[in-house]
Amino acid sequence: MDLAYLRAHPAHLSTFRTHQRIRETPVAGGDICAAARLTLDDGHSIFAKSWPERADRPVPEGFFEAEAAGLRWLRDAGAVAVPEVLVALPDLLALDWVEPGEPTAEAAERFGRELADLHRAGAPTFGASWPGFIGALAQDNTVDDGPWSTWFAERRLAPYLRRSVDGGALTSEDATLVERVMSRLGEFGGGEAPARIHGDLWPGNVLWGVDDRVWLVDPAAHGGHRETDLAQLALFGGIPHLDTVLAAYRETWPLSAGWRERVPLHQLHLLLVHTALFGAGYRDAVVQNARAALGGVERATVDR
């Protein structure tokens, strides 16, 4: 199997892997999927991720198709580097291989400009035309004209708050705190038209390539608020050269006043996803961000 054959017969990839007809090297693939580097007969490398075979944990319907749709949509903007989707099957996704490199200030500056261009490509509505996933969890991508504050509360915060409380990761007092944030979302300001966003842009989904470019992978892509992507870049220690990324972004497309105060709010979505998926280990981060978000809106209200 070479690249030309794979493009013509993408559904054959699973069979070739099953019969060990392709050289395969395991690579890091996150907490959900198994990942490998596949080397084709022409020497071309591809990245393949598959759902681990477990009877008690079947692959969610549309899981890989949704990721492929998001990657193609981001790539269609012609702004930031996104790997080409080569194969999208119910149990397998294969992308063009990105050779990893080292983070540089030059790549960070370029990425900041390109991310602004991606966001400015826009979206017709909040949500997306395909079913959504965030990690292994379903994410409601029902298209919605907004306003953003209502959409974000109902589609991006409430479902994962309920799941986190039901699973014991958050207490009822924690839920009340987050609900206070949700009830005041309209006061945060920064309302804009839907942007074309990655939607799960924590540092682990940013690849620094040997070509001195930043590549985006594993999206939960949809029409959303551009500040969500920027806030997620700062999570879990932040990406290298974050200040350079933000400076280049703001030069390309300035942010609305008060954007720094809204960072904890935009991070709250992904933190609630973590309590829903991984439990109480992320509880303190949810509580701290909810309190910080409320402090931010109260300061903004006083300033106005």
Side-chain angles (χ1 to χ4, degrees):
M1 174 179 278
D2 58 18
L3 184 59
Y5 183 93
L6 179 64
R7 290 186 190 279
H9 308 282
H12 292 187
L13 181 58
S14 295
T15 302
F16 273 71
R17 292 186 73 195
T18 300
H19 294 284
Q20 298 181 341
R21 298 279 300 278
I22 299 176
R23 182 153 58 93
E24 185 167 335
T25 305
V27 296
D31 300 306
I32 298 168
C33 294
R37 179 176 184 170
L38 308 183
T39 304
L40 305 181
D41 290 341
D42 59 2
H44 195 92
S45 289
I46 63 175
F47 173 84
K49 58 193 296 188
S50 56
W51 193 266
E53 295 183 9
R54 283 174 42 184
D56 63 331
R57 189 171 172 261
V59 58
E61 183 177 356
F63 180 78
F64 289 115
E65 294 92 335
E67 182 174 341
L71 286 164
R72 289 171 175 140
W73 188 59
L74 297 178
R75 185 178 170 91
D76 285 348
V80 68
V82 179
E84 179 186 359
V85 176
L86 300 173
V87 179
L89 302 174
D91 61 348
L92 173 69
L93 180 70
L95 314 174
D96 208 15
W97 178 261
V98 176
E99 189 65 30
E102 295 297 323
T104 67
E106 292 77 11
E109 182 178 351
R110 179 175 181 177
F111 174 54
R113 296 193 301 267
E114 291 177 338
L115 186 60
D117 290 338
L118 172 68
H119 290 163
R120 197 148 45 185
T125 61
F126 296 107
S129 61
W130 54 86
F133 288 89
I134 184 86
L137 299 179
Q139 180 161 264
D140 188 352
N141 268 356
T142 303
V143 295
D144 193 318
D145 291 330
W148 172 81
S149 56
T150 302
W151 170 84
F152 191 69
E154 294 179 352
R155 313 278 189 187
R156 292 298 180 264
L157 298 184
Y160 308 108
L161 176 61
R162 288 194 297 268
R163 188 179 179 105
S164 298
V165 173
D166 292 345
L170 297 178
T171 67
S172 58
E173 290 80 8
D174 300 333
T176 299
L177 177 64
V178 175
E179 287 165 352
R180 284 180 58 202
V181 176
M182 292 163 58
S183 70
R184 301 190 66 178
L185 270 172
E187 302 175 44
F188 277 85
E192 297 182 348
R196 186 172 305 213
I197 72 170
H198 178 284
D200 190 10
L201 200 55
W202 71 285
N205 288 339
V206 174
L207 295 184
W208 299 81
V210 72
D211 57 355
D212 212 26
R213 293 195 73 185
V214 172
W215 294 74
L216 300 188
V217 296
D218 289 346
H222 61 274
H225 200 303
R226 61 190 178 119
E227 290 178 13
T228 300
D229 271 356
L230 298 176
Q232 291 175 350
L233 286 173
L235 281 169
F236 314 129
I239 65 166
H241 306 291
L242 177 58
D243 289 344
T244 300
V245 172
L246 293 176
Y249 185 103
R250 293 172 64 201
E251 287 178 5
T252 306
W253 190 9
L255 293 165
S256 300
W259 68 272
R260 293 186 188 276
E261 286 72 24
R262 291 189 291 272
V263 167
L265 166 66
H266 287 279
Q267 291 177 340
L268 199 53
H269 166 227
L270 202 52
L271 292 174
L272 286 170
V273 169
H274 276 66
T275 51
L277 271 173
F278 305 118
Y282 291 92
R283 173 187 175 269
D284 288 350
V286 168
V287 171
Q288 290 168 8
N289 274 55
R291 288 174 176 162
L294 285 173
V297 73
E298 286 166 2
R299 288 191 297 273
T301 301
V302 169
D303 290 342
R304 287 197 294 269

